[in-house]
Amino acid sequence: MVEQVMTNPGAIESGGHMLSVRDLAVEFGQDRGSVRALDGISLDLRAGRVLGVVGESGCGKSVTARAILGILDRPGRLVGGRVLLDPGTSAEQNLAALDPNGAALRAVRGGRIGLIFQEPMTALSVHYTVGNQIIEAIRAHKTLSKAAARAATVELLREVGIPRPELRIDAYPFQLSGGLRQRVGIAMALACAPDILIADEPTTALDVTTQAQILALLRRLQRDKGIALMLITHDMGVIAQMADDVAVMYLGRIVEFAPVRRLFAAPRHPYTRALLRSVPDIRAVPRARLATIGGTVPHPGARPTGCAFHPRCQEMIAGRCETTAPSPVPAGLEGASCFHAESVVQEAVV
Amino acid sequence: MNVLEVEGLTKHFPIRSGLLQRETGRIRAVQDVSFHIRRGETLALVGESGCGKTTVSRCILRALSPTSGAIRFSQADGTVTDLATLSRRALRPLRRHIQMIFQDPYASLNPRMLVGDIIAEPLLVNGVPAARREARVRELLDLVGLPATARTRFPHAFSGGQRQRVGIARALALDPRLVVADEPVSALDVSVQAQIINLLLDLQDRLGLSMLFVAHDLGVVRHVSDRVAVMYVGHIVEIAPTAELYTRPRHPYTEALLAAVPKPDPAQRDAIAAPSGEVADPANPPPGCAFHPRCPFAVPRCATEVPALRETTHGSWSACHRTNELTLQGVV
């Protein structure tokens, strides 16, 4: 009944930096001025580790993924920062400096970096069979005969747990259930054996038992292949089950970064604390009220002064939080961007 | 006293194909479903997509006509009416007593109407005089925690959570006997979702609302409901008081559902428990118990005989042949 998670003893050594994002900034141009959707995002994806990125709608978590891959929707545009592939090595490459439509970035996208979407139908065409689309993806990156690519596709579909892959390869996406479609989406992301995977809300559209199957699959593949996984979600349950490290986002900034156990045991940022308390719990006393965060997430165009969370914060320091912004969490260090957390010594995440 | 008694509710949708559109099959969306809702009680209907929970709620609202079965609704004066067979005309005077809260606060409010007019519309349709309407709208805005100035603004000026408050105010305008809420918080962010859950809890206490709460999120359901009915492929497989269903499930599907919820606790993450296989197709359900192909406890009998919903302990019902021999794992 339980999909077993196998850990590969000979797995690739974990911890090496695969991708480092530094000071990423994105603006969405509008008629009157522009809106800053991302404001100085720094994070690291490391081999064999899962970085969970969590936040409410509009916090910029999806924009971060799209900015890394150079697939921002217009009128969004990158206005600053670096996206370093293989940082610190001789092969280091700044993806942010590449032409988003150029061959160099296209080789990385779907090659070194795989992408899994929330709704696999957005990634799949309705006009082609599942097999044709995966074969096309493989052949866009590798020189392989059609027959060899087809055989590889059957193997991929088998690996992601699709029953009778030699038949399903000729199915159209609409003939598959939501769970099977997401498995196809994962197979497609894995087509070129990427060492980095970005999954944007991969289970949000799925039912709870299907979600459990897909999470178990993602965890198994990530561990076996030593993939650096960036998992974007709004669900603290998914974060608790999947992430090694967690970045909590609010209004285009990372407000807290910590290893998952410490984040849940001792959250530093008042927003993280409030978020954790407001999650409905299946262990709750019936009819128990939830802790709430007053107000709503402001529009990025109307970012509050000082700390952007201050109008909703119960621990606001009058005269300070509304005028001065707390310093951001330094890349790779555990901590929170909050005046209350600054007294705590920031430790490097090992 | 029961506000609603549903008995043997069945809804099939024909599958038509070919030039003559002959019926070539049937989707058994809801199959022999029975339950009741007591006055002041919230019953949650949970299950995965396609299990029939929304079809049940739409039958009760008579947005759909049931294939068979009875939906007995008791009015304030004690008269009991079977909604299942009433004509559209005969239904009309009853409709004000059963109101609905929708899932999507962006799609369920007319963007061209002022919030005050949206909330007043059910009053207007039911002939409440203008002066009384105005006062009632103010009362309702206050009840759902919106400022009185909201009356003269359009829905676009409000966030998702505030719009859902408008939808709730509209549903409560006529003091309904029964409120049907279909996934009322699933489109909202967690921080806002918590506000709306608390509002619903307040309203239950203050107004003694009777509610059918259709949802897929077991965490939300635990917070708002008194009893829970679990559906799988058109059937109710278990009904029990909320705390009991979560701590001591009596049906293997309920156990699987509870185990599949990702727990917000990184210390408990050794195994993600997922039942194998996929939800059965309601157009072609497996014989016997629909859950048997995925059930770890299935015996040959489960593949041939449909289990009836039987009372296990007082107030707890389960449709499983083996319910008395199994000790299933709940959440602690």
Side-chain angles (χ1 to χ4, degrees):
Chain A
M1 162 162 195
V2 174
E3 187 159 342
Q4 278 297 322
V5 176
M6 304 285 287
T7 36
N8 182 353
I12 304 144
E13 191 187 340
S14 80
H17 286 56
M18 310 293 297
L19 187 85
S20 287
V21 174
R22 290 294 175 269
D23 308 313
L24 201 62
V26 168
E27 280 183 2
F28 280 79
Q30 287 189 337
D31 304 344
R32 282 160 292 167
S34 57
V35 169
R36 195 155 261 234
L38 287 191
D39 195 19
I41 297 293
S42 296
L43 47 85
D44 295 307
L45 299 183
R46 298 164 67 185
R49 283 180 84 90
V50 180
L51 172 73
V53 178
V54 69
E56 298 181 276
S57 9
C59 72
K61 48 194 195 303
S62 291
V63 175
T64 304
R66 302 187 80 89
I68 289 173
L69 291 159
I71 50 168
L72 281 169
D73 292 320
R74 300 219 302 166
R77 64 185 189 282
L78 209 62
V79 292
R82 289 164 298 155
V83 178
L84 304 175
L85 188 62
D86 301 317
T89 67
S90 56
E92 182 180 291
Q93 219 184 341
N94 181 9
L95 303 185
L98 299 177
D99 172 11
N101 302 315
L105 193 52
R106 272 190 285 128
V108 173
R109 214 189 285 140
R112 290 282 308 278
I113 309 180
L115 182 62
I116 301 169
F117 294 92
Q118 172 173 343
E119 177 35 75
M121 282 307 269
T122 57
L124 296 167
S125 163
V126 292
H127 299 292
Y128 296 92
T129 63
V130 161
N132 279 339
Q133 296 182 59
I134 299 178
I135 291 167
E136 188 192 359
I138 294 176
R139 288 177 30 111
H141 291 274
K142 285 188 206 160
T143 13
L144 217 59
S145 74
K146 264 190 187 163
R150 187 178 167 90
T153 300
V154 170
E155 265 327 294
L156 270 170
L157 294 175
R158 192 188 317 281
E159 189 174 11
V160 297
I162 291 180
R164 288 176 294 148
E166 49 297 314
L167 292 176
R168 292 289 166 78
I169 189 172
D170 295 318
Y172 287 90
F174 65 82
Q175 295 172 310
L176 303 176
S177 68
L180 284 184
R181 258 184 236 154
Q182 192 54 293
R183 286 179 196 266
V184 170
I186 293 172
M188 191 133 145
L190 292 175
C192 294
D195 42 23
I196 301 166
L197 257 185
I198 297 179
D200 188 0
E201 302 267 10
T203 59
T204 304
L206 304 175
D207 277 314
V208 60
T209 60
T210 315
Q211 163 169 284
Q213 292 172 351
I214 296 294
L215 291 180
L217 170 69
L218 272 178
R219 192 196 269 176
R220 170 170 66 80
L221 293 169
Q222 180 268 330
R223 286 189 184 167
D224 288 357
K225 298 175 188 292
I227 290 173
L229 173 64
M230 177 169 159
L231 179 66
I232 297 169
T233 176
H234 68 282
D235 187 331
M236 279 294 188
V238 171
I239 288 286
Q241 292 303 313
M242 299 290 291
D244 295 309
D245 307 306
V246 187
V248 181
M249 288 188 69
Y250 189 76
L251 229 60
R253 290 187 188 158
I254 292 175
V255 295
E256 179 160 2
F257 179 78
V260 68
R261 280 185 183 239
R262 280 212 282 280
L263 186 93
F264 278 77
R268 291 179 171 92
H269 200 286
Y271 176 62
T272 314
R273 280 201 284 275
L275 208 54
L276 285 170
R277 278 197 303 260
S278 64
V279 177
D281 191 346
I282 63 164
R283 298 162 298 187
V285 179
R287 309 192 64 85
R289 276 164 175 70
L290 285 156
T292 57
I293 308 176
T296 47
V297 181
H299 187 269
R303 166 183 275 281
T305 53
C307 168
F309 187 59
H310 87 262
R312 305 176 73 193
C313 184
Q314 293 192 328
E315 295 160 53
M316 200 219 10
I317 307 164
R320 189 166 186 202
C321 296
E322 70 269 45
T323 54
T324 325
S327 47
V329 188
L333 293 182
E334 180 178 348
S337 172
C338 172
F339 293 119
H340 290 293
E342 278 184 351
S343 51
V344 183
V345 180
Q346 284 166 337
E347 307 158 61
V349 176
V350 184
Chain B
M1 199 189 80
N2 295 335
V3 173
L4 187 78
E5 287 173 9
V6 173
E7 200 182 315
L9 182 68
T10 297
K11 175 69 188 174
H12 292 175
F13 293 98
I15 304 169
R16 295 179 195 282
S17 55
L19 185 63
L20 300 173
Q21 291 292 291
R22 282 209 184 89
E23 189 178 319
T24 52
R26 304 192 124 204
I27 295 170
R28 295 171 170 80
V30 174
Q31 192 71 38
D32 195 17
V33 157
S34 302
F35 61 86
H36 63 270
I37 298 175
R38 294 186 203 103
R39 186 118 213 230
E41 180 188 51
T42 297
L43 176 76
L45 208 51
V46 306
E48 300 181 275
S49 10
C51 73
K53 55 189 193 299
T54 293
T55 306
V56 169
S57 73
R58 294 178 70 90
C59 284
I60 291 167
L61 293 158
R62 275 300 304 277
L64 290 171
S65 293
T67 305
S68 63
I71 301 167
R72 285 188 288 272
F73 175 69
S74 88
Q75 284 173 260
D77 61 5
T79 38
V80 175
T81 324
D82 183 0
L83 305 178
T85 51
L86 283 191
S87 66
R88 291 174 71 99
R89 179 185 281 271
L91 270 167
R92 202 168 296 148
L94 288 168
R95 288 208 180 270
R96 60 175 296 166
H97 301 299
I98 306 180
Q99 294 290 323
M100 170 126 197
I101 301 171
F102 297 91
Q103 172 173 0
D104 185 348
Y106 291 87
S108 58
L109 303 178
N110 185 339
R112 295 178 183 221
M113 280 172 80
L114 294 171
V115 162
D117 295 335
I118 291 173
I119 298 173
E121 189 156 40
L123 302 163
L124 181 74
V125 171
N126 284 276
V128 175
R132 177 78 196 92
R133 282 204 302 268
E134 167 108 20
R136 180 69 179 145
V137 169
R138 286 172 189 277
E139 206 175 288
L140 287 161
L141 284 170
D142 185 51
L143 188 71
V144 299
L146 287 173
T149 51
R151 261 170 48 245
T152 53
R153 308 191 67 182
F154 286 101
H156 71 77
F158 296 93
S159 67
Q162 288 170 322
R163 286 183 209 210
Q164 200 54 310
R165 290 176 195 266
V166 173
I168 293 170
R170 176 178 60 188
L172 297 177
L174 293 162
D175 269 324
R177 291 268 292 165
L178 178 68
V179 173
V180 176
D182 193 348
E183 301 275 12
V185 298
S186 57
L188 306 173
D189 268 318
V190 269
S191 70
V192 179
Q193 176 175 291
Q195 294 170 7
I196 300 297
I197 290 171
N198 288 353
L199 172 65
L200 289 172
L201 287 167
D202 285 339
L203 294 172
Q204 287 169 352
D205 290 346
R206 287 169 66 179
L207 309 175
L209 286 184
S210 311
M211 186 151 61
L212 179 68
F213 191 91
V214 180
H216 72 281
D217 184 320
L218 292 155
V220 171
V221 162
R222 180 139 190 183
H223 281 274
V224 300
S225 63
D226 300 300
R227 286 189 303 135
V228 181
V230 180
M231 288 190 74
Y232 187 75
V233 197
H235 294 265
I236 287 184
V237 297
E238 180 168 1
I239 305 189
T242 305
E244 204 169 313
L245 184 116
Y246 282 77
T247 51
R248 169 100 172 73
R250 312 268 174 173
H251 195 285
Y253 177 62
T254 312
E255 181 190 51
L257 215 47
L258 291 171
V261 177
K263 315 280 176 296
D265 181 1
Q268 288 182 32
R269 64 188 282 181
D270 296 325
I272 296 173
S276 54
E278 301 228 311
V279 175
D281 177 4
N284 187 20
C289 170
F291 190 57
H292 88 263
R294 308 176 74 191
C295 182
F297 308 106
V299 291
R301 183 183 176 199
C302 302
T304 54
E305 201 182 315
V306 180
L309 191 64
R310 275 186 298 261
E311 195 158 17
T312 53
T313 54
H314 183 68
S316 292
W317 298 68
S318 159
C320 172
H321 293 308
R322 302 190 63 198
T323 189
N324 290 326
E325 336 159 18
L326 299 173
T327 307
L328 301 171
Q329 199 75 70
V331 288
V332 217

